[in-house]
Amino acid sequence: MPHFRACFIGATAVVAALAVNVAEAKTPKDQLVIGMNMVNLTTLDPHNANSYESYHVIANLYDTLLRSDPNTPGKVIPGLAKSWTVLPDGSLEFVLDDKATFKSGRKITAADVAYSFQRAVKLGLLARAYYANWGYDAANVEQKFRAKDDKTFVMEVATPVAPSLKLNALTRVYGAVLDKEVITKHEKDGDMGRGWLASNAAGSGPFTLNRWNPNDIVVLTRFDAYWGGEPKMKRVLVRHLPESQTERLQLEKGDLDVGFQLVSADIDGLAKNPAIVIDRLVGSGFYYLIMSTKDPEFAKPEVRKALRYCINYKDINDVVMKNYGTSATTFIPADIPGYIPDIGNVYDPAKCKQGLAAAGYGDGFSKQLLSLNSTPYADMATAIQQNLAVAGVKVDILTGNGDQTYGPMRDRKFQLGVGRTASSAQTDADGWLRTHVYNPDNKDDANLTNLQAWRASFELPEVNKLMDEAQAITDNEAKRVELYKQALKLFEESAPPIIPISQRVDPYAKSARLKNYVGDIGWMTRWDQVEKQD
């Protein structure tokens, strides 16, 4: 893929030339300065967020009932809940930490937890898909999510689900607890604060939202009275830096402490700088290509099957996704129980052309592909465009911010798209598989926007049945894993419209001055314990 290699070499040369005049500087010791491309930061509502960028900010404005141990992926640790119990019928009972208070100074109660989770379901936002998987809907949440007393919250069973799956999912932003009284003050026409909360915050996390100017800057101020202990940093600034070269220069100058979404050439260059540390988190999700089966060509299994042969996965992973992904062939990786070897992605351009010709498309066709305008999406989209062109499929790439790219996908009004997913259960096959293969309601108004199969308008009832059976098993792990394997095999045999390109890696560059900056593979990285060792 000479085009990409040429770009990277060119970028490296430019940066090297500019670096000659780099003057050393330092960010203030009590401020954390982060560079990030924020085109996909479109809301701060925890119940409507689904991006790497929004998760990082929201994780520091809110507390969740539980947290994931960043040093031991898959291990659940206390958050607002100091303890929890699985009741005999599978219900979950959480006891809140006595010290926990909102920024308003008010004690957090079990009624706030119940309100928050009920809101997540009632509003039908992105969070709804998670709770719907567990049988919760607007009609039953007031009964199923209840305050036993001020400090005890109970999540009753709605449908059989392994409790471990719920506990893991509640570590993500959808498990954030909101200040009911603050939200109620800003409610309009029964919207449960939806309009206000998109650009404001009402949580108990270690930082307070001082300012958010979209595609410009986010300023967080230390919450001095944080119940979990005073944060080390007085302020956190997240700056919108869409150009990787600019970000790299500012890291080298010392004007930035952390940089995200750098192109691979800049990551490799920074890795040689002793003042910079590169962390590469192997994430729990995938970069993927998705086709809408509402499209007349992609509705045909023979077309989808042929296109899967067109993509040069090795080159994309070796060049474009270097530092951002590892090769993936199917939706359960090799180190997770349920993996099946030798199925999924195969690159065979001859089979691609033969398949398209057999389907009646020997001369190809034209489609539009949606992609975020940031690293590595745009380069991945370009690589796929070049691969498909070889088979006569012309692809026009439309890049934009999160609303412009993911908006049409969530509305099921697109042809092709590239994106990234994150598992809600990092060490469990369910978490890896469900996001991509499960679609229990294929109607447009089902609004299951977090499920990729729903976005693709693609439903396999037998796969859904196997997934439902598997998630309900709590006493036979071998049987549960076997059901996930059966679901994966059926999905792969269906010529699926969702194709994994890479298993996600989340790299970032950080100043060697930083201490206790520990990235979270679920994107819930906390900044309250970060210090500078000057």
Side-chain angles (χ1 to χ4, degrees), residues 318-329:
D318 288 350
V319 181
V320 176
M321 299 303 290
K322 181 184 178 187
N323 285 309
Y324 278 91
T326 58
S327 182
T329 58

Side-chain angles (χ1 to χ4, degrees), residues 66 76 92 130 133-134 155 160-172 423-432 434 467-468 470-474 477 480 484:
L66 303 171
V76 175
L92 296 168
Y130 282 90
N133 286 339
W134 305 334
M155 178 182 272
V161 177
S164 62
L165 297 177
K166 290 184 180 178
L167 295 173
N168 273 284
L170 290 177
T171 66
R172 298 173 64 75
S423 165
S424 62
Q426 297 154 354
T427 58
D428 193 295
D430 190 282
W432 290 86
R434 186 172 298 274
M467 294 293 294
D468 288 340
Q471 79 166 359
I473 295 175
T474 59
E477 186 63 13
R480 201 166 75 89
Y484 287 127

Side-chain angles (χ1 to χ4, degrees), residues 277-281 505-510 517-519:
V277 176
I278 305 294
D279 285 344
R280 297 177 176 85
L281 303 181
V505 173
D506 299 326
Y508 58 88
K510 64 182 182 185
Y517 191 104
V518 182

Side-chain angles (χ1 to χ4, degrees), residues 139-155:
N140 68 17
V141 287
E142 292 196 11
Q143 175 198 348
K144 298 297 183 183
F145 300 157
R146 62 181 176 83
K148 182 177 177 182
D149 54 45
D150 278 356
K151 288 299 171 189
T152 310
F153 168 70
V154 178
M155 178 182 272

Side-chain angles (χ1 to χ4, degrees), residues 387-400:
N387 287 168
L388 297 183
V390 174
V393 178
K394 182 183 177 185
V395 171
D396 292 323
I397 298 173
L398 182 63
T399 60

Side-chain angles (χ1 to χ4, degrees), residues 517-533:
Y517 191 104
V518 182
D520 178 69
I521 68 170
W523 304 341
M524 299 290 284
T525 300
R526 296 287 287 247
W527 297 323
D528 53 311
Q529 295 302 310
V530 178
E531 297 179 81
K532 293 181 183 176
Q533 42 191 4

